[in-house]
Amino acid sequence: MNAPNHDPSLFTGLSAFPLTPLKDEAVDEDAFIGLIERLVLAGVDSITALGSTGSYAYLNLDERARVAEVAVESALDIPVFIGVGALRTKDVLANVASAEAAGAQGLLLAPVSYQPLTENEVFELFRTVTESTDLPIVVYDNPGTTHFTFTTELYARLAALDGIASIKIPGKPASPAEWDERIGQIRAAIGNEVTIGISGDAHGAEGLIAGCDAWYTVIGGTLPDQTLEITRAADLGNAELARDLSAELQPLWDLFAQFGGSLRVTAAIAEHLDLVGPNSLPLPVRDLDAAAKCKVAEVADHLDLA
């Protein structure tokens, strides 16, 4: 396997995924800057703009270029990674160029598609992008949105490409022993120079305890303090504390399950905390209804989320 052309430690710890709030169907730059500044003050390890939580798939090339620019400008010395996934490879490469121009320190790439992609098509996408840029790349394995399932064998093929820095794996219910086995299998396949990041916030603690290097977190983009506590506990080897802190947030994980994912719930929490305005999601995606927002607000107040 080739030596990395990047610092693997860049892709460790907590990477927070902020919303890209909209106002009247345009990016609400003031609200977005506020979210980024909140993450800087909390001291997150990195910021990933234009992930699924950042509604990247709904924004055009110019909007994405501007969001990348604002994210980097507002993040001060916090490393910023930019999501570059798109339906066509030419648009992916355009997003790569705008991320480079903005000063991003890494890229997040998902195999976005309408027609189902084959493993070879996904591999060629990543090969093409790694050959087009010197920026390190996070492989975005998110079958819930892309409907593509990575195999461990594909992880290994991708990890051998120059420029692949991290693999963001989906979380799922599993026992601690099953987590240990899964992370061990991936580590054996990809080696030690590519980091493993956990996603699926309800499983963040277990993934970190099992040996994941990073937590790529949705809710961390809005609630960085709470997710940093879990991350730091796991980093220090205090599995009991990490699990306890995650268990305290179980009502939030339950909301994600009840309302079909994290995006609408996260937007509702951000609105409840006056971080974004109403109707901040890109149509046709809509906010939760009034009754659901009330339930989210009750949970947020009960957990003292701020």
Side-chain angles (χ1 to χ4, degrees):
M1 187 168 294
N2 296 319
N5 59 1
H6 57 269
D7 179 3
S9 68
L10 192 63
F11 300 91
T12 62
L14 186 139
S15 191
F17 281 51
L19 296 158
T20 305
L22 303 185
K23 183 178 181 180
D24 299 325
E25 278 297 285
V27 174
D28 186 343
E29 289 194 14
D30 289 341
F32 182 65
I33 290 169
L35 290 170
I36 299 295
E37 290 176 343
R38 181 178 172 89
L39 301 179
V40 173
L41 289 172
V44 300
D45 297 299
S46 63
I47 295 168
T48 303
L50 295 172
S52 293
T53 313
S55 301
Y56 73 95
Y58 296 92
L59 304 179
N60 63 37
L61 294 177
D62 289 340
E63 289 170 326
R64 294 174 67 163
R66 179 57 183 161
V67 169
E69 182 179 27
V70 171
V72 174
E73 288 176 351
S74 304
L76 301 182
D77 60 347
I78 303 290
V80 174
F81 313 141
I82 298 295
V84 295
L87 282 171
R88 296 186 65 185
T89 299
K90 75 178 187 70
D91 290 336
V92 173
L93 296 177
N95 291 328
V96 169
S98 64
E100 289 175 331
Q105 291 186 250
L107 306 173
L108 175 74
L109 177 57
V112 183
S113 67
Y114 180 80
Q115 298 295 335
L117 296 176
T118 68
E119 283 206 1
N120 282 336
E121 288 168 337
V122 170
F123 177 81
E124 287 302 318
L125 168 65
F126 280 90
R127 185 187 62 78
T128 298
V129 175
T130 57
E131 291 179 353
S132 77
T133 182
D134 291 329
L135 288 178
I137 296 168
V138 179
V139 175
Y140 192 4
D141 182 355
N142 189 358
T145 55
T146 65
H147 308 293
F148 178 84
T149 300
F150 286 77
T151 62
T152 304
E153 292 73 21
L154 182 55
Y155 286 161
R157 291 180 67 194
L158 293 172
L161 293 171
D162 287 341
I164 298 298
S166 185
I167 296 176
K168 175 182 181 290
I169 68 170
K172 61 181 179 180
S175 69
E178 289 169 333
W179 270 109
D180 289 342
E181 180 180 8
R182 177 61 178 146
I183 301 307
Q185 289 172 343
I186 296 172
R187 180 65 67 203
I190 69 174
N192 294 317
E193 303 300 338
V194 173
T195 70
I196 303 171
I198 184 65
S199 62
D201 284 354
H203 310 291
E206 288 300 336
L208 292 170
I209 291 165
C212 287
D213 307 286
W215 184 7
Y216 295 112
T217 164
V218 168
I219 201 61
T222 299
L223 303 174
D225 292 335
Q226 292 85 346
T227 45
L228 274 169
E229 280 191 286
I230 295 170
T231 304
R232 299 297 181 248
D235 287 346
L236 293 171
N238 194 335
E240 181 178 2
L241 177 58
R243 289 188 174 111
D244 287 347
L245 290 169
S246 182
E248 289 177 7
L249 297 179
Q250 188 60 49
L252 182 56
W253 312 147
D254 291 342
L255 288 175
F256 288 179
Q258 179 178 355
F259 295 117
S262 57
L263 177 60
R264 294 175 181 84
V265 174
T266 300
I269 291 172
E271 181 183 346
H272 181 64
L273 298 178
D274 292 324
L275 301 174
V276 305
N279 305 312
S280 66
L281 298 176
L283 293 172
V285 183
R286 293 183 179 272
D287 287 358
L288 296 175
D289 63 26
K293 282 186 178 182
C294 284
K295 185 165 187 177
V296 170
E298 289 173 2
V299 168
D301 290 341
H302 173 72
L303 295 176
D304 195 21
L305 301 179

